[in-house]
Amino acid sequence: MNACNAASQPVATIPAFHFDNSFARELPGFFVARRPAIVPAPRLLYFNRTLADELALDLGSLDDQAKAAVFAGNVVPEGAEPLAQAYAGHQFGGFSPQLGDGRALLLGEVIDRHGHRRDIAFKGSGRTPFARGGDGKAAVGPMLREVLVSESMHALGIPTTRALAVAATGEDVYRERVLPGAVLTRVAASHIRVGTFQFFAARGDVESVRKLAAYTIWRHDPALADADEPFLELLRNVAERQAALIAQWMNVGFIHGVMNTDNMAISGETIDYGPCAFMEAYDPAAVFSSIDLHGRYAFANQPNIAGWNLARFAEALLPVLSEDPERAIASATDVLAAFPERYRRHLLRGQRMKLGLRRGDAGDDSSDAALVDDWLALLHGASVDFTLAWRRLADAAAGDEAPLRALFADPRTLDSWLARWRERCAAEDGDATIESTTSGLARAETMRTVNPIIIARNHRVEEALAAASDDADLGPFERLLEAISSPYRETSAVATYAEPAPAAVTACYRTFCGT
């Protein structure tokens, strides 16, 4: 699976990326070599200069027109080995034995300024043999959505792929209506997915599973190379990364929307921003994706789905875990059985920070978890905005309960819970009856570093994308991007971006895959 197409070859190269392409070098047969399609009129819409510097890219001599030619795929950087990766996946529970990069290409890998290996990949760069009848293209709106949401997640401190650039192509893309085309350049720790393992496991190709697992350890868990059971430890590490990641999603109200196994990265990064959204009024059953008709990937289901996906990863690894099938199953089952507790530990640690609690002493887990559960029940019962409720709780810690109480139709419902929370805070501070003003102010400041005031609110995202796609106006996109880049800083200049959408708008809001 590594023949290159002869048509539509880009005509020039530039020595700007300093590629070192281990995936192409070490895993022949795991991909199809492919060149990006030539587009008629590339134009740069977005370029992340800070990320480019972090990646040690030598692009300073290129103007926007030259960058557009690179990031639209018309000029392939020197040393790139563009390829479409093979993978399978469970999509909404049903297994597809061959998916793969239908409209994406891994250009290659670079070593960033911190010594980390990073993938640089295109999305929307034309059809590949994995396209399954698709056109291989992408539209401006969905590509800019990935910029906004992934950069919001990065600013929130959540592991994620990053957006390096978006280039308009100057050609139309045909979906429900005609849309302007674009190519996204995405940066990731790697694009190895649960589905990558499933592709070879489904074919009974145990040696390829073993080779992929060994490469993954080299890439993401080199300390495991000398472990007695390195592949079992890989499963354990992936479970730990996913437990931490999903807990972070839950603590900011993020809904991925399409948690298929081909969308779970072994690295522990959030990947594939399609029908994603941030929840506004707290609702565990919240679903925004137009294709999630039965709520499989609803907000509260995300931890369970992560565990389900990990079970599929474990199944793919079983033949390399042990020569004894029963021992392999027992070992994998132990790891999977521990996942819910791993997740709860990460979740509660984050929730304590959001509550302004610095520690959890032995025996406090159940009472602190109950405190959080009762808080969330209050938000759900009153349809209170999730992000603002946590942020205004910080104001209450500083002694001003008015902004928090203003979020509730009946503020009196808060009285009992606030008394319990203050008692818990005071006990931690060594005063069982009352929290000092100094301590409260310090707690509030700490809480404001973990409870954002700005998220990529859905109505603001849609406004920005509509302006960019329909009117070629990037102003709303650029202003929103600037606001979400500092999510914990509350100023009058960004106050409008902190406001929830009207309830009527949220009630009928739907997201789409963008394919």
Side-chain angles (χ1 to χ4, degrees), residues 8-351:
S8 301
Q9 297 285 341
V11 297
T13 63
I14 58 168
F17 285 73
H18 312 294
F19 285 113
D20 178 50
N21 303 327
S22 66
F23 192 93
R25 184 170 62 243
E26 302 296 334
L27 297 175
F30 286 60
F31 58 85
V32 177
R34 198 77 174 177
R35 293 278 181 153
I38 294 291
V39 303
R43 179 169 58 90
L44 194 64
L45 301 180
Y46 167 77
F47 178 62
N48 191 329
R49 290 178 178 82
T50 302
L51 180 56
D53 181 67
E54 181 181 317
L55 296 171
L57 304 186
D58 184 15
L59 299 172
S61 63
L62 303 183
D63 60 18
D64 282 356
Q65 184 176 356
K67 289 191 186 81
V70 171
F71 292 117
N74 283 9
V75 175
V76 174
E78 184 176 307
E81 299 178 74
L83 57 89
Q85 293 181 318
Y87 50 85
H90 277 87
Q91 299 189 308
F92 288 88
F95 185 63
S96 296
Q98 180 167 305
L99 296 171
D101 289 330
R103 59 170 180 162
L105 292 174
L106 172 61
L107 290 184
E109 304 152 32
V110 300
I111 309 300
D112 69 18
R113 294 190 185 278
H114 306 291
H116 300 143
R117 184 174 293 271
R118 313 277 288 277
D119 279 1
I120 298 181
F122 282 158
K123 188 174 182 179
S125 53
R127 297 185 75 252
T128 80
F130 299 116
R132 307 186 304 282
D135 61 10
K137 305 294 185 179
V140 165
M143 297 305 94
L144 292 181
R145 172 190 289 276
E146 182 148 342
V147 174
L148 289 170
V149 184
S150 66
E151 289 305 293
S152 177
M153 295 286 273
H154 174 70
L156 290 166
I158 298 173
T160 179
T161 59
R162 302 285 305 279
L164 177 59
V166 175
T169 62
E171 61 185 4
D172 292 333
V173 173
Y174 296 89
R175 300 295 184 259
E176 291 82 5
R177 60 191 181 97
V178 179
L179 299 167
V183 176
L184 169 79
T185 302
R186 179 166 67 192
V187 176
S190 84
H191 285 79
I192 303 169
R193 311 156 188 265
V194 169
T196 316
F197 285 86
Q198 290 181 294
F199 182 90
F200 298 99
R203 288 157 176 77
D205 188 350
V206 176
E207 286 311 305
S208 288
V209 172
R210 189 186 310 277
K211 191 172 184 179
L212 179 61
Y215 173 82
T216 303
I217 287 173
W218 173 81
R219 183 97 182 241
H220 294 299
D221 295 283
L224 302 182
D226 297 324
D228 291 338
E229 297 180 290
F231 302 143
L232 179 62
E233 294 304 315
L234 173 64
L235 175 60
R236 202 182 313 277
N237 281 10
V238 172
E240 179 68 17
R241 288 194 285 265
Q242 289 298 323
L245 177 67
I246 305 304
Q248 288 180 282
W249 288 4
M250 302 299 285
N251 277 333
V252 296
F254 176 73
I255 304 172
H256 185 278
V258 61
M259 288 178 66
N260 298 330
T261 57
D262 56 298
N263 291 339
M264 177 181 276
I266 299 301
S267 66
E269 289 182 324
T270 312
I271 191 170
D272 286 327
Y273 292 93
C276 55
F278 283 91
M279 180 173 58
E280 295 206 338
Y282 178 69
D283 180 3
V287 174
F288 294 109
S289 170
S290 63
I291 60 175
D292 193 0
L293 301 179
H294 303 292
R296 177 181 175 87
Y297 300 140
F299 177 70
N301 286 352
Q302 293 182 132
N304 290 336
I305 291 296
W308 192 91
N309 289 349
L310 285 167
R312 309 289 78 76
F313 181 46
E315 288 170 353
L317 287 178
L318 282 178
V320 302
L321 294 182
S322 174
E323 294 182 358
D324 179 353
E326 291 187 4
R327 185 168 183 270
I329 291 171
S331 297
T333 300
D334 286 345
V335 175
L336 297 173
F339 177 76
E341 181 54 35
R342 287 173 182 262
Y343 163 73
R344 284 191 292 269
R345 185 181 70 246
H346 285 289
L347 182 71
L348 185 57
R349 181 182 300 141
Q351 290 170 332

Side-chain angles (χ1 to χ4, degrees), residues 220-496:
H220 294 299
D221 295 283
L224 302 182
D226 297 324
D228 291 338
E229 297 180 290
F231 302 143
L232 179 62
E233 294 304 315
L234 173 64
L235 175 60
R236 202 182 313 277
N237 281 10
V238 172
E240 179 68 17
R241 288 194 285 265
Q242 289 298 323
L245 177 67
I246 305 304
Q248 288 180 282
W249 288 4
M250 302 299 285
N251 277 333
V252 296
F254 176 73
I255 304 172
H256 185 278
V258 61
M259 288 178 66
N260 298 330
T261 57
D262 56 298
N263 291 339
M264 177 181 276
I266 299 301
S267 66
E269 289 182 324
T270 312
I271 191 170
D272 286 327
Y273 292 93
C276 55
F278 283 91
M279 180 173 58
E280 295 206 338
Y282 178 69
D283 180 3
V287 174
F288 294 109
S289 170
S290 63
I291 60 175
D292 193 0
L293 301 179
H294 303 292
R296 177 181 175 87
Y297 300 140
F299 177 70
N301 286 352
Q302 293 182 132
N304 290 336
I305 291 296
W308 192 91
N309 289 349
L310 285 167
R312 309 289 78 76
F313 181 46
E315 288 170 353
L317 287 178
L318 282 178
V320 302
L321 294 182
S322 174
E323 294 182 358
D324 179 353
E326 291 187 4
R327 185 168 183 270
I329 291 171
S331 297
T333 300
D334 286 345
V335 175
L336 297 173
F339 177 76
E341 181 54 35
R342 287 173 182 262
Y343 163 73
R344 284 191 292 269
R345 185 181 70 246
H346 285 289
L347 182 71
L348 185 57
R349 181 182 300 141
Q351 290 170 332
R352 280 189 173 120
M353 294 173 66
K354 292 173 76 69
L355 286 171
L357 305 176
R358 294 183 295 275
R359 64 181 185 272
D361 296 330
D364 280 350
D365 281 7
S366 60
S367 59
D368 284 353
L371 187 66
V372 175
D373 289 346
D374 291 345
W375 163 250
L376 295 177
L378 284 172
L379 304 189
H380 188 206
S383 297
V384 174
D385 185 83
F386 183 77
T387 301
L388 287 184
W390 284 107
R391 183 71 177 200
R392 296 311 170 212
L393 188 61
D395 296 336
D400 183 6
E401 295 182 359
L404 175 61
R405 290 184 176 277
L407 300 176
F408 287 78
D410 182 0
R412 294 171 298 179
T413 60
L414 277 169
D415 292 347
S416 176
W417 185 89
L418 282 174
R420 289 168 57 201
W421 172 65
R422 290 195 179 282
E423 182 179 1
R424 173 68 176 88
C425 292
E428 183 172 272
D429 293 337
D431 183 339
T433 58
I434 190 166
E435 185 180 8
S436 71
T437 301
T438 301
S439 178
L441 292 174
R443 174 169 280 109
E445 285 305 305
T446 300
M447 291 171 69
R448 291 182 184 120
T449 67
V450 295
N451 291 315
I453 183 65
I454 304 293
I455 56 171
R457 289 193 178 271
N458 304 318
H459 64 302
R460 295 300 182 195
V461 170
E462 296 302 331
E463 289 171 358
L465 301 187
S469 183
D470 299 342
D471 304 321
D473 178 7
L474 291 172
F477 165 81
E478 291 167 348
R479 290 189 290 273
L480 177 57
L481 182 62
E482 182 179 4
I484 63 178
S485 296
S486 300
Y488 301 103
R489 185 184 307 161
E490 187 168 1
T491 68
S492 58
V494 297
T496 185

